[in-house]
Amino acid sequence: MPTPAEDDAINAGALSDPDNPPLTDAQLSQFKRLRGQRGPQKTPVKCQVTLRLDPEVVDFYKATGSGWQSRINDALVGSVKAKKKTAA
């Protein structure tokens, strides 16, 4: 960590750079979030758990590529819905 004196010298050098002036509050307020960037999640949609699965199941889903955990979740959701239908 720089000392306060070193920090002041660094800031003075940065502020004196004519090619890179500091942004004003008005300029900063004009920035918009880029497409695809998310803010904080408002309400949790899923809950985190630790789960032990057979290696065969994990290997099968991992072999299907990225998003394998969501596909396991989808399969479990389908199973729950099917069981609810038969119980009703």
Side-chain angles (χ1 to χ4, degrees):
M1 293 296 295
T3 65
E6 291 171 329
D7 197 41
D8 290 341
I10 292 169
N11 287 331
L15 291 172
S16 67
D17 182 358
D19 294 328
N20 192 20
L23 296 173
T24 64
D25 288 338
Q27 290 169 319
L28 288 171
S29 69
Q30 292 177 355
F31 285 143
K32 293 186 176 144
R33 191 177 331 155
L34 294 176
R35 182 174 177 226
Q37 290 181 334
R38 290 178 38 172
Q41 190 174 13
K42 294 182 176 139
T43 57
V45 180
K46 296 180 180 177
C47 58
Q48 183 175 354
V49 298
T50 300
L51 179 67
R52 293 182 181 269
L53 301 170
D54 289 340
E56 178 182 5
V57 172
V58 175
D59 292 342
F60 173 81
Y61 278 96
K62 278 188 173 183
T64 63
S66 86
W68 63 273
Q69 292 163 316
S70 293
R71 283 189 290 281
I72 290 175
N73 184 70
D74 294 344
L76 291 171
V77 167
S79 176
V80 168
K81 287 181 180 179
K83 290 194 183 290
K84 283 183 177 180
K85 281 184 182 179
T86 60

Coordinates of all heavy atoms in Angstrom, one line a residue:
M1 N 0.9 -1.2 0.0 CA 0.0 0.0 0.0 C 0.9 1.2 0.0 O 1.8 1.3 0.8 CB -0.9 0.0 1.2 CG -1.9 -1.1 1.3 SD -3.2 -1.0 0.0 CE -4.0 0.5 0.4
P2 N 0.5 2.2 -0.8 CA 1.3 3.5 -0.9 C 1.1 4.3 0.4 O 0.0 4.2 1.0 CB 0.9 4.2 -2.1 CG -0.5 3.6 -2.4 CD -0.5 2.2 -1.9
T3 N 2.0 5.0 0.8 CA 1.9 6.0 1.9 C 0.9 7.1 1.4 O 0.7 7.3 0.2 CB 3.2 6.6 2.3 OG1 3.7 7.4 1.3 CG2 4.2 5.5 2.7
P4 N 0.4 7.9 2.4 CA -0.5 9.0 1.9 C 0.2 9.9 1.0 O -0.4 10.4 0.0 CB -0.9 9.7 3.2 CG -0.8 8.5 4.2 CD 0.3 7.7 3.8
A5 N 1.5 10.2 1.2 CA 2.3 11.1 0.3 C 2.4 10.5 -1.1 O 2.3 11.2 -2.1 CB 3.6 11.4 0.9
E6 N 2.7 9.2 -1.1 CA 2.8 8.5 -2.4 C 1.5 8.5 -3.1 O 1.4 8.7 -4.3 CB 3.3 7.1 -2.2 CG 4.8 7.0 -1.8 CD 5.2 5.6 -1.4 OE1 4.3 4.8 -0.9 OE2 6.3 5.2 -1.5
D7 N 0.4 8.3 -2.4 CA -0.9 8.3 -3.0 C -1.3 9.7 -3.5 O -1.8 9.7 -4.6 CB -2.0 7.9 -1.9 CG -3.3 7.4 -2.5 OD1 -3.3 6.8 -3.5 OD2 -4.3 7.8 -1.9
D8 N -0.9 10.7 -2.8 CA -1.2 12.1 -3.3 C -0.4 12.3 -4.6 O -0.9 12.9 -5.5 CB -0.8 13.1 -2.3 CG -1.7 13.1 -1.1 OD1 -2.9 12.6 -1.2 OD2 -1.3 13.6 0.0
A9 N 0.9 11.8 -4.7 CA 1.7 12.0 -5.9 C 1.1 11.2 -7.1 O 1.0 11.7 -8.2 CB 3.1 11.6 -5.6
I10 N 0.6 10.0 -6.8 CA 0.0 9.2 -7.8 C -1.3 9.9 -8.4 O -1.5 10.1 -9.6 CB -0.4 7.8 -7.3 CG1 0.9 7.0 -7.0 CG2 -1.3 7.1 -8.3 CD1 0.7 5.8 -6.3
N11 N -2.1 10.4 -7.4 CA -3.4 11.1 -7.8 C -3.1 12.4 -8.6 O -3.7 12.7 -9.6 CB -4.2 11.4 -6.6 CG -4.9 10.2 -6.1 OD1 -5.2 9.2 -6.8 ND2 -5.1 10.1 -4.8
A12 N -2.1 13.1 -8.2 CA -1.7 14.4 -8.9 C -1.2 14.1 -10.3 O -1.6 14.8 -11.2 CB -0.6 15.1 -8.1
G13 N -0.5 13.0 -10.4 CA 0.0 12.6 -11.8 C -1.2 12.2 -12.7 O -1.2 12.6 -13.8
A14 N -2.1 11.5 -12.1 CA -3.2 11.0 -12.9 C -4.1 12.2 -13.3 O -4.6 12.3 -14.4 CB -4.1 10.0 -12.1
L15 N -4.3 13.2 -12.4 CA -5.2 14.3 -12.7 C -4.5 15.3 -13.7 O -5.2 16.0 -14.4 CB -5.5 15.1 -11.4 CG -6.4 14.3 -10.4 CD1 -6.5 15.1 -9.1 CD2 -7.8 14.2 -11.0
S16 N -3.2 15.2 -13.8 CA -2.5 16.2 -14.7 C -2.4 15.6 -16.1 O -1.9 16.2 -17.0 CB -1.1 16.5 -14.2 OG -0.3 15.4 -14.2
D17 N -2.9 14.4 -16.4 CA -2.8 13.7 -17.7 C -3.8 14.3 -18.6 O -5.0 14.1 -18.4 CB -3.0 12.2 -17.5 CG -2.9 11.4 -18.8 OD1 -2.7 12.1 -19.9 OD2 -3.0 10.2 -18.8
P18 N -3.4 15.1 -19.6 CA -4.4 15.7 -20.5 C -5.2 14.7 -21.4 O -6.2 15.1 -21.9 CB -3.5 16.7 -21.4 CG -2.2 16.1 -21.4 CD -2.0 15.4 -20.0
D19 N -4.6 13.5 -21.6 CA -5.3 12.6 -22.5 C -6.3 11.7 -21.7 O -7.1 11.0 -22.3 CB -4.2 11.6 -23.0 CG -3.3 12.3 -24.0 OD1 -3.7 13.3 -24.7 OD2 -2.1 11.9 -24.1
N20 N -6.3 11.9 -20.4 CA -7.3 11.1 -19.6 C -7.8 11.9 -18.4 O -7.5 11.5 -17.3 CB -6.6 9.8 -19.2 CG -7.5 8.8 -18.6 OD1 -8.7 8.8 -18.9 ND2 -7.1 7.8 -17.8
P21 N -8.6 12.9 -18.7 CA -9.1 13.7 -17.6 C -10.1 12.9 -16.8 O -10.8 12.0 -17.3 CB -9.8 14.9 -18.3 CG -10.2 14.4 -19.6 CD -9.1 13.3 -20.0
P22 N -10.3 13.2 -15.5 CA -11.3 12.5 -14.7 C -12.7 12.8 -15.2 O -13.0 13.8 -15.7 CB -11.1 13.0 -13.3 CG -10.3 14.3 -13.4 CD -9.6 14.2 -14.7
L23 N -13.6 11.8 -15.0 CA -14.9 11.9 -15.4 C -15.7 12.8 -14.4 O -15.5 12.6 -13.2 CB -15.6 10.6 -15.6 CG -15.0 9.7 -16.7 CD1 -15.6 8.3 -16.6 CD2 -15.2 10.3 -18.1
T24 N -16.6 13.6 -14.9 CA -17.4 14.4 -14.0 C -18.6 13.6 -13.5 O -18.9 12.5 -14.1 CB -18.0 15.7 -14.7 OG1 -18.8 15.2 -15.8 CG2 -16.8 16.5 -15.3
D25 N -19.3 14.0 -12.5 CA -20.5 13.3 -12.0 C -21.6 13.2 -13.1 O -22.3 12.2 -13.2 CB -21.1 14.0 -10.8 CG -20.2 13.8 -9.5 OD1 -19.4 12.8 -9.5 OD2 -20.3 14.6 -8.6
A26 N -21.7 14.3 -13.9 CA -22.6 14.3 -15.0 C -22.3 13.2 -16.0 O -23.2 12.5 -16.5 CB -22.7 15.7 -15.7
Q27 N -21.0 13.1 -16.4 CA -20.6 12.0 -17.3 C -20.9 10.6 -16.7 O -21.3 9.7 -17.4 CB -19.1 12.2 -17.7 CG -18.8 13.4 -18.5 CD -17.3 13.7 -18.6 OE1 -16.6 13.5 -17.7 NE2 -16.9 14.1 -19.8
L28 N -20.5 10.5 -15.5 CA -20.7 9.1 -14.8 C -22.2 8.8 -14.8 O -22.5 7.6 -14.9 CB -20.1 9.1 -13.4 CG -18.6 9.2 -13.3 CD1 -18.2 9.4 -11.9 CD2 -18.0 7.9 -13.9
S29 N -23.1 9.8 -14.6 CA -24.5 9.5 -14.5 C -25.1 9.0 -15.9 O -26.2 8.4 -15.9 CB -25.3 10.7 -14.0 OG -25.3 11.7 -15.0
Q30 N -24.4 9.3 -17.0 CA -24.9 8.9 -18.3 C -24.5 7.5 -18.6 O -25.1 6.9 -19.6 CB -24.3 9.8 -19.4 CG -24.8 11.2 -19.3 CD -24.1 12.1 -20.3 OE1 -23.2 11.7 -21.0 NE2 -24.6 13.4 -20.4
F31 N -23.7 6.8 -17.9 CA -23.3 5.4 -18.1 C -24.5 4.5 -18.0 O -25.3 4.7 -17.0 CB -22.2 4.9 -17.2 CG -20.8 5.5 -17.6 CD1 -19.9 5.8 -16.6 CD2 -20.4 5.6 -18.9 CE1 -18.7 6.2 -16.9 CE2 -19.2 6.1 -19.2 CZ -18.3 6.4 -18.2
K32 N -24.7 3.6 -18.8 CA -25.8 2.6 -18.8 C -25.2 1.2 -18.7 O -24.1 0.9 -19.2 CB -26.7 2.7 -20.0 CG -27.4 4.1 -20.0 CD -28.4 4.1 -21.1 CE -29.1 5.4 -21.0 NZ -29.5 6.1 -22.2
R33 N -25.9 0.3 -18.1 CA -25.5 -1.0 -18.0 C -25.5 -1.7 -19.4 O -26.5 -1.5 -20.1 CB -26.4 -1.8 -17.0 CG -25.9 -3.1 -16.7 CD -26.8 -3.9 -15.7 NE -27.5 -3.0 -14.8 CZ -28.6 -3.4 -14.2 NH1 -29.2 -4.5 -14.4 NH2 -29.3 -2.6 -13.4
L34 N -24.5 -2.5 -19.7 CA -24.5 -3.1 -21.0 C -25.4 -4.3 -21.0 O -25.8 -4.9 -20.0 CB -23.0 -3.6 -21.3 CG -22.0 -2.6 -21.5 CD1 -20.6 -3.2 -21.6 CD2 -22.3 -1.7 -22.7
R35 N -25.9 -4.6 -22.2 CA -26.8 -5.8 -22.3 C -26.1 -7.0 -21.8 O -24.9 -7.3 -22.1 CB -27.1 -5.9 -23.8 CG -28.0 -7.1 -24.1 CD -28.4 -7.1 -25.5 NE -29.3 -8.2 -25.8 CZ -29.1 -9.0 -26.8 NH1 -28.2 -8.9 -27.6 NH2 -29.9 -10.1 -26.9
G36 N -26.8 -7.8 -21.0 CA -26.3 -9.0 -20.5 C -25.7 -8.9 -19.1 O -25.5 -9.9 -18.4
Q37 N -25.5 -7.7 -18.6 CA -25.0 -7.5 -17.3 C -26.1 -7.4 -16.3 O -27.1 -6.7 -16.6 CB -24.1 -6.2 -17.2 CG -22.8 -6.3 -17.9 CD -22.0 -5.0 -17.7 OE1 -22.6 -4.0 -17.5 NE2 -20.7 -5.2 -17.8
R38 N -26.0 -8.2 -15.2 CA -27.1 -8.2 -14.3 C -26.7 -7.4 -13.0 O -25.6 -7.4 -12.6 CB -27.4 -9.6 -13.9 CG -28.1 -10.4 -15.0 CD -28.3 -11.8 -14.6 NE -28.7 -11.9 -13.2 CZ -29.2 -13.0 -12.7 NH1 -29.2 -14.1 -13.4 NH2 -29.6 -13.1 -11.4
G39 N -27.7 -6.9 -12.4 CA -27.5 -6.3 -11.1 C -27.7 -7.4 -10.0 O -27.8 -8.5 -10.3
P40 N -27.8 -7.0 -8.8 CA -28.0 -7.9 -7.7 C -29.4 -8.6 -7.9 O -30.3 -8.0 -8.3 CB -27.9 -7.1 -6.5 CG -28.1 -5.7 -6.8 CD -27.7 -5.6 -8.3
Q41 N -29.4 -9.9 -7.5 CA -30.7 -10.6 -7.6 C -31.6 -10.1 -6.6 O -31.3 -9.9 -5.4 CB -30.4 -12.1 -7.4 CG -31.6 -13.0 -7.7 CD -31.2 -14.5 -7.6 OE1 -30.1 -14.8 -7.0 NE2 -32.0 -15.3 -8.0
K42 N -32.9 -9.8 -7.0 CA -33.8 -9.2 -6.1 C -34.4 -10.2 -5.1 O -34.4 -9.9 -3.9 CB -35.0 -8.5 -6.9 CG -34.4 -7.4 -7.7 CD -35.5 -6.7 -8.5 CE -34.9 -5.5 -9.2 NZ -35.3 -5.3 -10.5
T43 N -34.8 -11.3 -5.6 CA -35.3 -12.3 -4.7 C -34.7 -13.7 -5.1 O -34.6 -14.0 -6.3 CB -36.9 -12.5 -4.7 OG1 -37.3 -12.7 -6.0 CG2 -37.5 -11.2 -4.2
P44 N -34.2 -14.4 -4.2 CA -33.6 -15.7 -4.6 C -34.6 -16.6 -5.3 O -35.7 -16.7 -4.8 CB -33.2 -16.3 -3.2 CG -33.2 -15.2 -2.2 CD -34.2 -14.2 -2.7
V45 N -34.2 -17.2 -6.4 CA -35.0 -18.0 -7.2 C -34.8 -19.5 -6.8 O -35.7 -20.3 -6.8 CB -34.8 -17.8 -8.7 CG1 -35.7 -18.7 -9.5 CG2 -35.0 -16.3 -9.0
K46 N -33.5 -19.8 -6.5 CA -33.2 -21.1 -6.1 C -32.4 -21.1 -4.8 O -31.9 -20.1 -4.4 CB -32.2 -21.7 -7.2 CG -32.9 -21.9 -8.5 CD -32.0 -22.5 -9.5 CE -32.6 -22.6 -10.9 NZ -31.7 -23.1 -11.9
C47 N -32.4 -22.2 -4.1 CA -31.6 -22.3 -2.8 C -30.4 -23.2 -3.1 O -30.5 -24.2 -3.8 CB -32.5 -22.8 -1.7 SG -33.3 -24.4 -2.0
Q48 N -29.3 -22.9 -2.4 CA -28.1 -23.6 -2.6 C -28.1 -24.8 -1.6 O -28.4 -24.6 -0.4 CB -26.9 -22.7 -2.3 CG -25.6 -23.5 -2.5 CD -24.4 -22.5 -2.3 OE1 -24.5 -21.3 -2.2 NE2 -23.2 -23.1 -2.4
V49 N -27.8 -26.0 -2.1 CA -27.7 -27.2 -1.2 C -26.5 -28.0 -1.7 O -25.9 -27.8 -2.7 CB -28.9 -28.1 -1.4 CG1 -30.2 -27.4 -0.9 CG2 -29.1 -28.6 -2.8
T50 N -26.0 -28.8 -0.8 CA -25.0 -29.8 -1.1 C -25.7 -31.1 -1.3 O -26.5 -31.6 -0.5 CB -24.0 -29.9 0.0 OG1 -23.4 -28.6 0.2 CG2 -22.9 -30.9 -0.3
L51 N -25.4 -31.8 -2.4 CA -26.1 -33.0 -2.8 C -25.1 -34.0 -3.3 O -24.2 -33.7 -4.1 CB -27.1 -32.6 -3.9 CG -27.9 -33.7 -4.5 CD1 -28.9 -34.2 -3.5 CD2 -28.7 -33.2 -5.7
R52 N -25.2 -35.3 -2.9 CA -24.4 -36.4 -3.3 C -25.1 -37.1 -4.4 O -26.2 -37.6 -4.2 CB -24.0 -37.3 -2.2 CG -23.0 -36.6 -1.2 CD -22.6 -37.6 -0.1 NE -21.8 -36.9 0.8 CZ -20.5 -36.9 0.8 NH1 -19.8 -37.4 -0.2 NH2 -19.8 -36.3 1.7
L53 N -24.5 -37.2 -5.6 CA -25.1 -38.0 -6.7 C -24.2 -39.1 -7.1 O -23.0 -39.0 -6.9 CB -25.4 -37.0 -7.9 CG -26.3 -35.8 -7.6 CD1 -26.3 -34.8 -8.8 CD2 -27.7 -36.3 -7.3
D54 N -24.8 -40.1 -7.8 CA -23.9 -41.2 -8.3 C -23.0 -40.6 -9.4 O -23.4 -39.7 -10.2 CB -24.8 -42.2 -9.0 CG -25.6 -43.0 -7.9 OD1 -25.2 -43.0 -6.8 OD2 -26.6 -43.7 -8.3
P55 N -21.8 -41.1 -9.4 CA -20.8 -40.6 -10.5 C -21.4 -40.7 -11.9 O -21.1 -39.9 -12.7 CB -19.6 -41.4 -10.2 CG -19.7 -41.9 -8.8 CD -21.1 -42.0 -8.5
E56 N -22.1 -41.8 -12.1 CA -22.7 -42.0 -13.4 C -23.6 -40.9 -13.8 O -23.6 -40.4 -15.0 CB -23.5 -43.4 -13.4 CG -24.1 -43.7 -14.7 CD -24.9 -45.0 -14.6 OE1 -25.1 -45.6 -13.5 OE2 -25.5 -45.4 -15.7
V57 N -24.4 -40.4 -12.9 CA -25.3 -39.3 -13.2 C -24.6 -38.0 -13.5 O -24.8 -37.3 -14.5 CB -26.3 -39.1 -12.0 CG1 -27.1 -37.8 -12.2 CG2 -27.2 -40.3 -11.8
V58 N -23.6 -37.7 -12.6 CA -22.8 -36.5 -12.8 C -22.0 -36.5 -14.1 O -22.0 -35.6 -14.9 CB -21.8 -36.3 -11.6 CG1 -20.9 -35.1 -11.9 CG2 -22.6 -36.1 -10.3
D59 N -21.4 -37.7 -14.4 CA -20.6 -37.8 -15.7 C -21.5 -37.6 -16.9 O -21.2 -37.0 -17.9 CB -19.9 -39.2 -15.7 CG -18.8 -39.3 -14.7 OD1 -18.3 -38.2 -14.2 OD2 -18.4 -40.4 -14.4
F60 N -22.7 -38.2 -16.8 CA -23.7 -38.1 -17.9 C -24.0 -36.6 -18.2 O -24.0 -36.2 -19.3 CB -24.9 -38.9 -17.7 CG -26.0 -38.7 -18.7 CD1 -26.0 -39.4 -19.9 CD2 -27.0 -37.8 -18.5 CE1 -27.0 -39.2 -20.9 CE2 -28.0 -37.6 -19.4 CZ -28.0 -38.3 -20.6
Y61 N -24.4 -35.9 -17.2 CA -24.8 -34.5 -17.3 C -23.6 -33.6 -17.7 O -23.8 -32.7 -18.5 CB -25.6 -34.0 -16.1 CG -27.0 -34.4 -16.1 CD1 -27.5 -35.6 -15.4 CD2 -28.0 -33.7 -16.8 CE1 -28.8 -36.0 -15.4 CE2 -29.3 -34.1 -16.9 CZ -29.7 -35.2 -16.2 OH -31.0 -35.6 -16.2
K62 N -22.5 -33.8 -17.1 CA -21.3 -33.0 -17.5 C -20.9 -33.2 -18.9 O -20.5 -32.3 -19.6 CB -20.1 -33.4 -16.6 CG -20.1 -32.7 -15.2 CD -18.8 -33.0 -14.5 CE -18.8 -32.2 -13.2 NZ -17.5 -32.4 -12.5
A63 N -21.1 -34.4 -19.4 CA -20.8 -34.7 -20.8 C -21.7 -33.9 -21.8 O -21.3 -33.8 -23.0 CB -20.9 -36.2 -21.1
T64 N -22.8 -33.4 -21.3 CA -23.7 -32.7 -22.2 C -23.3 -31.2 -22.3 O -24.0 -30.5 -23.0 CB -25.2 -32.8 -21.7 OG1 -25.3 -32.2 -20.4 CG2 -25.6 -34.2 -21.6
G65 N -22.3 -30.8 -21.6 CA -21.7 -29.4 -21.8 C -22.2 -28.5 -20.7 O -22.7 -28.9 -19.7
S66 N -21.9 -27.2 -20.9 CA -22.2 -26.2 -19.9 C -23.7 -26.2 -19.7 O -24.5 -26.4 -20.6 CB -21.6 -24.9 -20.2 OG -22.5 -24.2 -21.0
G67 N -24.1 -25.8 -18.4 CA -25.5 -25.8 -18.1 C -26.0 -27.1 -17.5 O -27.2 -27.3 -17.3
W68 N -25.0 -28.0 -17.3 CA -25.4 -29.4 -16.8 C -26.2 -29.4 -15.5 O -27.1 -30.1 -15.3 CB -24.2 -30.3 -16.8 CG -23.1 -29.9 -15.8 CD1 -22.1 -29.1 -16.0 CD2 -23.0 -30.4 -14.5 NE1 -21.3 -29.0 -14.9 CE2 -21.9 -29.8 -13.9 CE3 -23.7 -31.3 -13.7 CZ2 -21.4 -30.0 -12.6 CZ3 -23.3 -31.5 -12.4 CH2 -22.2 -30.9 -11.9
Q69 N -25.8 -28.4 -14.6 CA -26.5 -28.4 -13.3 C -27.9 -27.9 -13.5 O -28.8 -28.5 -12.8 CB -25.7 -27.4 -12.4 CG -24.4 -28.0 -12.0 CD -23.5 -26.9 -11.4 OE1 -23.4 -25.8 -12.0 NE2 -22.8 -27.2 -10.4
S70 N -28.2 -27.0 -14.4 CA -29.6 -26.6 -14.7 C -30.4 -27.7 -15.3 O -31.6 -27.9 -15.0 CB -29.6 -25.4 -15.6 OG -29.0 -24.3 -15.0
R71 N -29.7 -28.6 -16.1 CA -30.4 -29.7 -16.7 C -30.8 -30.7 -15.6 O -31.9 -31.3 -15.7 CB -29.6 -30.3 -17.8 CG -29.7 -29.5 -19.1 CD -29.1 -30.2 -20.3 NE -27.6 -30.3 -20.2 CZ -26.8 -29.3 -20.5 NH1 -27.2 -28.1 -20.8 NH2 -25.5 -29.5 -20.4
I72 N -29.9 -30.9 -14.6 CA -30.3 -31.8 -13.5 C -31.5 -31.2 -12.8 O -32.4 -31.9 -12.4 CB -29.1 -32.0 -12.6 CG1 -28.0 -32.8 -13.2 CG2 -29.5 -32.7 -11.3 CD1 -26.7 -33.0 -12.4
N73 N -31.4 -29.9 -12.5 CA -32.6 -29.3 -11.9 C -33.9 -29.4 -12.7 O -34.9 -29.8 -12.1 CB -32.3 -27.8 -11.7 CG -33.4 -27.1 -10.9 OD1 -33.5 -27.3 -9.7 ND2 -34.1 -26.2 -11.5
D74 N -33.8 -29.3 -14.0 CA -35.0 -29.4 -14.8 C -35.5 -30.9 -14.7 O -36.7 -31.1 -14.7 CB -34.6 -29.1 -16.3 CG -34.3 -27.6 -16.5 OD1 -34.6 -26.8 -15.6 OD2 -33.7 -27.3 -17.5
A75 N -34.6 -31.8 -14.7 CA -35.1 -33.2 -14.6 C -35.7 -33.5 -13.3 O -36.8 -34.2 -13.2 CB -33.9 -34.2 -14.8
L76 N -35.2 -32.9 -12.2 CA -35.8 -33.1 -10.9 C -37.2 -32.3 -10.8 O -38.1 -32.9 -10.2 CB -34.9 -32.5 -9.8 CG -33.6 -33.4 -9.6 CD1 -32.6 -32.7 -8.6 CD2 -34.0 -34.8 -9.0
V77 N -37.3 -31.2 -11.4 CA -38.5 -30.4 -11.4 C -39.6 -31.3 -12.2 O -40.7 -31.4 -11.7 CB -38.4 -29.0 -12.1 CG1 -39.7 -28.4 -12.4 CG2 -37.6 -28.1 -11.1
G78 N -39.2 -31.9 -13.3 CA -40.1 -32.7 -14.0 C -40.6 -33.9 -13.2 O -41.8 -34.3 -13.3
S79 N -39.7 -34.5 -12.5 CA -40.0 -35.6 -11.6 C -41.0 -35.2 -10.5 O -42.0 -35.9 -10.2 CB -38.8 -36.2 -11.0 OG -39.1 -37.2 -10.1
V80 N -40.8 -34.0 -9.9 CA -41.7 -33.5 -8.9 C -43.1 -33.3 -9.4 O -44.1 -33.7 -8.9 CB -41.1 -32.3 -8.2 CG1 -42.1 -31.6 -7.4 CG2 -39.9 -32.6 -7.4
K81 N -43.1 -32.7 -10.6 CA -44.4 -32.4 -11.2 C -45.2 -33.7 -11.6 O -46.4 -33.7 -11.4 CB -44.3 -31.5 -12.5 CG -43.9 -30.1 -12.2 CD -43.7 -29.3 -13.4 CE -43.4 -27.8 -13.1 NZ -43.2 -27.0 -14.3
A82 N -44.5 -34.7 -12.1 CA -45.1 -35.9 -12.4 C -45.7 -36.6 -11.1 O -46.8 -37.2 -11.1 CB -44.1 -36.8 -13.1
K83 N -44.9 -36.6 -10.1 CA -45.3 -37.2 -8.8 C -46.5 -36.4 -8.2 O -47.4 -37.1 -7.7 CB -44.2 -37.3 -7.8 CG -43.1 -38.3 -8.2 CD -42.2 -38.6 -7.1 CE -41.1 -39.5 -7.5 NZ -41.5 -40.9 -7.7
K84 N -46.6 -35.1 -8.4 CA -47.7 -34.4 -7.9 C -49.0 -34.7 -8.7 O -50.1 -34.8 -8.1 CB -47.4 -32.9 -8.0 CG -46.5 -32.3 -6.9 CD -46.3 -30.8 -7.0 CE -45.5 -30.3 -5.9 NZ -45.3 -28.8 -6.0
K85 N -48.8 -34.9 -10.0 CA -50.0 -35.3 -10.8 C -50.6 -36.7 -10.4 O -51.8 -36.8 -10.3 CB -49.6 -35.3 -12.3 CG -49.5 -34.0 -12.9 CD -49.2 -34.1 -14.4 CE -49.1 -32.8 -15.1 NZ -48.8 -32.9 -16.5
T86 N -49.7 -37.6 -10.1 CA -50.1 -38.9 -9.8 C -50.7 -39.0 -8.4 O -51.5 -39.8 -8.0 CB -49.0 -40.0 -9.9 OG1 -47.9 -39.6 -9.1 CG2 -48.6 -40.1 -11.3
A87 N -50.2 -38.1 -7.5 CA -50.7 -38.0 -6.1 C -52.1 -37.4 -6.0 O -52.8 -37.6 -5.1 CB -49.7 -37.3 -5.2
A88 N -52.4 -36.5 -7.0 CA -53.7 -35.8 -6.9 C -54.9 -36.6 -7.4 O -54.9 -37.6 -7.8 CB -53.6 -34.5 -7.8

